[in-house]
Amino acid sequence: MGAQLRVYKRRIRAITATKKITKAMEMIAASRIVKAQRKVAASMPYATELTRAVTAVATGSNTKHALTTEVETPTRAAILLITSDRGLAGGYSSNAIKQAERLTERLRAEGKDVDTYIVGRKGLAYYGFRERKVADSWTGFTDSPAYADAKRVAGPLIEAIQTETAEGGVDELHIVYTEFVSMMTQNPVDGRMLPLSLDQAQEETGAKGEILPLFDFEPSAEDVLDALLPRYVESRIYNALLQSAASEHAARRRAMKAATDNAGDLIKSLSRLANAARQAEITQEISEIVGGASAMADATAGSDK
């Protein structure tokens, strides 16, 4: 009985220490969510106005450009998958990976080859374990991305969309990330970044059905689009990175809260078992004392006779 009680106490101490760690991680994640939400809100006006500017140039000119012109028969597409660098965030990364897998299957069903670009160690580990080819990858900044990180990611993607498919380029550029809806809801989504769909762009900017003014482009509409292309891709990627970071913190907070609650329930259960073992040990000791006293009394009574 004593050995069993020691086992229960040792497990309670270990789970209590784990509970302290998960509680601390929950509080850290909760504090980071607010900062991430503020960054998402701050990035939205720039991204919206930039998309509105691209839409104005595309609708106000007949220029064919990789930013707005669709290939008649696209044969190659690129997917940018955003996951996390660290674990302990529930199904955050796995849900994004599943969304990317579904998108890949859909594109391949359309007869397109797919190049995959990955942000985050979790996504990279998933593809590496399955020995799948990755066009490029970036790690080390998923929980707190900066605009410089978005520029670094956008560089190879812009180069790929501007290169002919015969030379290793792509016709389409898609992105998979986790959209932050609320503290309890984060949805993995995918969207096509390039070529830009004008209808989709007008819906995103709230300009659907709006009559745009006439513009003069200097030196030319094509030069304006060349200048806007990297800014547009960078802003879209930056916004996706920020939303993914907020989603990661929210998912980690929820996962750590569940772990803390489960640790508390397990401690209560083990405490009841430890108390039961202690009571059984005390009962056994009392029985042994009573039995010993009874035996001594019987022995004394026998010697008196």
Side-chain angles (χ1 to χ4, degrees), residues 37-188:
Q37 283 181 288
R38 290 173 181 169
K39 288 184 177 180
V40 171
S43 71
M44 291 301 293
Y46 176 76
T48 300
E49 290 303 318
L50 186 58
T51 304
R52 187 186 293 269
V54 172
T55 305
V57 178
T59 56
S61 68
N62 296 322
T63 303
K64 290 187 177 181
H65 195 276
L67 184 63
T68 57
T69 305
E70 295 194 30
V71 179
E72 290 186 6
T73 55
T75 59
R76 197 173 193 86
I79 295 177
L80 174 62
L81 168 62
I82 299 177
T83 62
S84 67
D85 285 322
R86 299 185 295 126
L88 301 177
Y92 164 76
S93 291
S94 61
N95 290 337
I97 291 172
K98 290 176 183 177
Q99 188 73 18
E101 294 280 75
R102 288 190 290 269
L103 176 59
T104 300
E105 292 177 2
R106 188 166 72 244
L107 292 174
R108 286 176 176 165
E110 295 172 359
K112 302 169 187 174
D113 295 327
V114 177
D115 293 339
T116 304
Y117 296 77
I118 297 177
V119 173
R121 292 189 178 93
K122 289 299 178 180
L124 192 59
Y126 177 89
Y127 277 73
F129 180 76
R130 288 157 180 77
E131 298 182 351
R132 297 182 184 178
K133 183 179 178 181
V134 175
D136 207 344
S137 62
W138 303 267
T139 59
F141 54 83
T142 59
D143 60 343
S144 183
Y147 193 82
D149 299 317
K151 289 185 69 174
R152 189 152 52 94
V153 174
L157 297 171
I158 294 171
E159 183 180 351
I161 199 69
Q162 291 178 324
T163 304
E164 297 292 334
T165 53
E167 300 175 4
V170 297
D171 299 316
E172 296 177 356
L173 177 57
H174 299 258
I175 185 170
V176 178
Y177 65 99
T178 306
E179 180 184 25
F180 182 85
V181 180
S182 67
M183 295 285 283
M184 298 301 298
T185 306
Q186 302 86 41
N187 298 325

Side-chain angles (χ1 to χ4, degrees), residues 211-222:
I211 299 176
L212 297 174
L214 297 175
F215 291 94
D216 289 330
F217 306 107
E218 292 184 2
S220 67
E222 185 175 359

Side-chain angles (χ1 to χ4, degrees), residues 230-262:
R231 303 291 179 270
Y232 172 76
V233 176
E234 289 165 8
S235 67
R236 285 290 300 271
I237 292 175
Y238 183 51
N239 183 264
L241 288 172
L242 291 177
Q243 294 223 38
S244 296
S247 299
E248 178 184 348
H249 294 316
R252 182 169 290 113
R253 186 201 67 82
R254 192 166 60 250
M256 291 301 97
K257 185 180 186 307
T260 302
D261 293 343
N262 289 338

Side-chain angles (χ1 to χ4, degrees), residues 199-227:
D199 290 338
Q200 180 182 352
Q202 289 177 346
E203 288 180 0
E204 291 177 358
T205 59
K208 188 71 172 177
E210 183 179 305
I211 299 176
L212 297 174
L214 297 175
F215 291 94
D216 289 330
F217 306 107
E218 292 184 2
S220 67
E222 185 175 359
D223 290 333
V224 173
L225 287 172
D226 285 338

